[in-house]
Amino acid sequence: METKLLSNSTADLQEAAHLLKEGNVVGIPTETVYGLAADARNPEAVRQIFAAKGRPADNPLIVHIAKLEELESVAVSVPELALKLAEKFWPGPLTMILPKHPSIPTITSGGLDTVGVRMPSHLVARKLIELSGVPIAAPSANISGYPSPTTAQHVMRDMHGKIAAVVDGGDCCVGVESTVIALEGEDSVRILRPGYVTKEMLETVVPHVTLDKAILHQLQEGQTVRSPGMKYQHYSPHAHVTLIEGRWPEFAAWVQQHAEVGTYALVFDGEGADLSVPYLTYGTGDAEQAHQVFAKLRELDDIGAKRVFVRAPNPNGIGLAVYNRLIRAAGFEVIQV
Ligand code: AMP
Ligand code: MG
């Protein structure tokens, strides 16, 4: 299949929406990362998403809507708390797990009777949902296990020949996937996957916000997980990644001691000049690091890195999302120096 690269012109968006309505898979920009979109109600279209990504069938897809009225056609009941959260954080990078409406097939929900729903803020994503007239199932548009794509070129590299089209909407501004939450009663939520919407932001609306233990800890054999995606190896480039925690002088000394041919470092902006190995940087503050982290992991593969020592981000605020992606990219190989 030839994969068309479309622009965000009105004519191209109409073509992409038509492809979606007809049951095809299209790579689309969102504010978080690029998504691999299809009609969430069409089991055959959704099957093509799983096939293109090589995604395990029990890892559910997030359903994207453009208007609040559409929520009741995706979720069978919507608690008051969900509406309060929607009012504050939608459109935006927050996904809520709600009881699934029968019109959403179980292939979309990975066999669960719940569904993850979000209203993206990216204008192209919203326009495509409106023009196609269907709710859009869209996981990240990477090959399963590889770092998520934040540009149309990343999507083309992973999906060329496997999907109908990719819409180029430029760089994704957030850079990491949405915050995923489960509602637990009227005054409590659990964060299943950290993202740009932080615990502190949620606490402005909900009295009790807890972090699921799968965010920072590797699951043991046989342990059940609230968010199926958390159990898989994820976000990993081909290079062997190790996350290094500690202060700069100890980091630099550790890298020097353990460097081999093909070793690179991934450090903060302004660091690296005194390192003994080649390096890339991924910003300084948490939002900047979220914006850059996946693109830099991909770039390290492109330049031939075999081994990467990553300077661990501060795991607070949006930094928790960056840390969560990096420990998985490192297969939980974290070293304290
Ligand atoms: P991705 O589509 O790559 O952004 O990943 C979606 C994430 O949302 C995965 O970690 C899923 O496990 C999680 N998710 C989606 N739907 C549900 C659901 N119904 N229950 C729990 N987690 C979900
Ligand atoms: Mg993903």
Side-chain angles (χ1 to χ4, degrees):
M1 176 190 311
E2 188 57 35
T3 303
K4 253 187 159 176
L5 184 60
L6 299 171
S7 74
N8 60 4
S9 71
T10 306
D12 277 11
L13 294 187
Q14 267 158 352
E15 182 173 346
H18 181 75
L19 286 167
L20 288 167
K21 199 154 53 182
E22 295 294 304
N24 297 285
V25 177
V26 178
I28 67 164
T30 82
E31 71 277 23
T32 57
V33 300
Y34 271 73
L36 208 53
D39 177 353
R41 294 195 201 123
N42 180 336
E44 175 49 28
V46 171
R47 192 196 58 73
Q48 289 176 48
I49 295 181
F50 281 92
K53 279 183 67 80
R55 182 169 172 113
D58 68 348
N59 193 359
L61 308 183
I62 292 170
V63 176
H64 297 70
I65 58 174
K67 296 197 182 79
L68 199 56
E69 304 89 87
E70 292 157 13
L71 184 54
E72 60 191 34
S73 65
V74 174
V76 77
S77 71
V78 181
E80 200 54 40
L81 178 59
L83 292 174
K84 250 169 48 187
L85 288 161
E87 192 180 328
K88 173 88 180 187
F89 297 106
W90 282 2
L94 179 70
T95 297
M96 292 191 253
I97 309 298
L98 297 169
K100 184 180 79 62
H101 190 281
S103 69
I104 303 294
T106 48
I107 184 172
T108 303
S109 66
L112 299 172
D113 54 11
T114 54
V115 61
V117 194
R118 127 173 153 85
M119 186 193 292
S121 64
H122 198 292
L123 293 179
V124 169
R126 301 262 297 281
K127 193 81 198 160
L128 286 171
I129 300 167
E130 277 167 32
L131 288 172
S132 65
V134 296
I136 295 288
S140 52
N142 50 295
I143 298 285
S144 209
Y146 203 63
S148 299
T150 56
T151 68
Q153 289 67 40
H154 293 160
V155 183
M156 268 296 184
R157 206 169 318 154
D158 284 18
M159 294 296 157
H160 192 255
K162 296 181 172 183
I163 62 173
V166 177
V167 178
D168 190 347
D171 226 15
C172 299
C173 62
V174 171
V176 291
E177 303 83 349
S178 60
T179 305
V180 178
I181 59 168
L183 279 58
E184 302 185 323
E186 273 307 320
D187 62 356
S188 170
V189 302
R190 174 181 296 267
I191 300 181
L192 304 182
R193 176 176 73 183
Y196 192 82
V197 175
T198 63
K199 180 174 191 284
E200 293 72 27
M201 293 182 207
L202 290 165
E203 280 166 349
T204 64
V205 178
V206 199
H208 304 290
V209 181
T210 52
L211 294 174
D212 197 79
K213 65 177 184 309
I215 289 173
L216 291 176
H217 301 284
Q218 189 166 24
L219 286 164
Q220 302 308 309
E221 191 84 28
Q223 236 178 331
T224 55
V225 61
R226 298 283 298 272
S227 175
M230 285 296 194
K231 70 184 178 211
Y232 295 108
Q233 166 87 20
H234 217 158
Y235 317 119
S236 301
H238 300 306
H240 171 183
V241 174
T242 308
L243 194 59
I244 314 282
E245 282 189 310
R247 296 180 318 138
W248 175 258
E250 285 80 14
F251 175 87
W254 200 91
V255 169
Q256 172 132 25
Q257 243 174 31
H258 294 84
E260 298 158 14
V261 177
T263 297
Y264 282 72
L266 182 60
V267 300
F268 305 163
D269 280 3
E271 297 176 339
D274 48 341
L275 278 177
S276 57
V277 300
Y279 65 92
L280 297 181
T281 66
Y282 72 117
T284 40
D286 58 359
E288 220 175 78
Q289 291 183 332
H291 178 73
Q292 293 188 33
V293 65
F294 285 135
K296 294 303 168 93
L297 290 176
R298 283 173 172 262
E299 192 181 335
L300 284 158
D301 271 353
D302 295 344
I303 59 181
K306 298 283 172 269
R307 185 92 213 261
V308 183
F309 296 129
V310 180
R311 189 134 137 77
N314 178 348
N316 297 318
I318 304 161
L320 181 64
V322 183
Y323 190 95
N324 167 269
R325 303 319 187 263
L326 283 170
I327 38 167
R328 282 173 170 72
F332 287 90
E333 191 178 309
V334 184
I335 290 171
Q336 317 278 342
V337 291

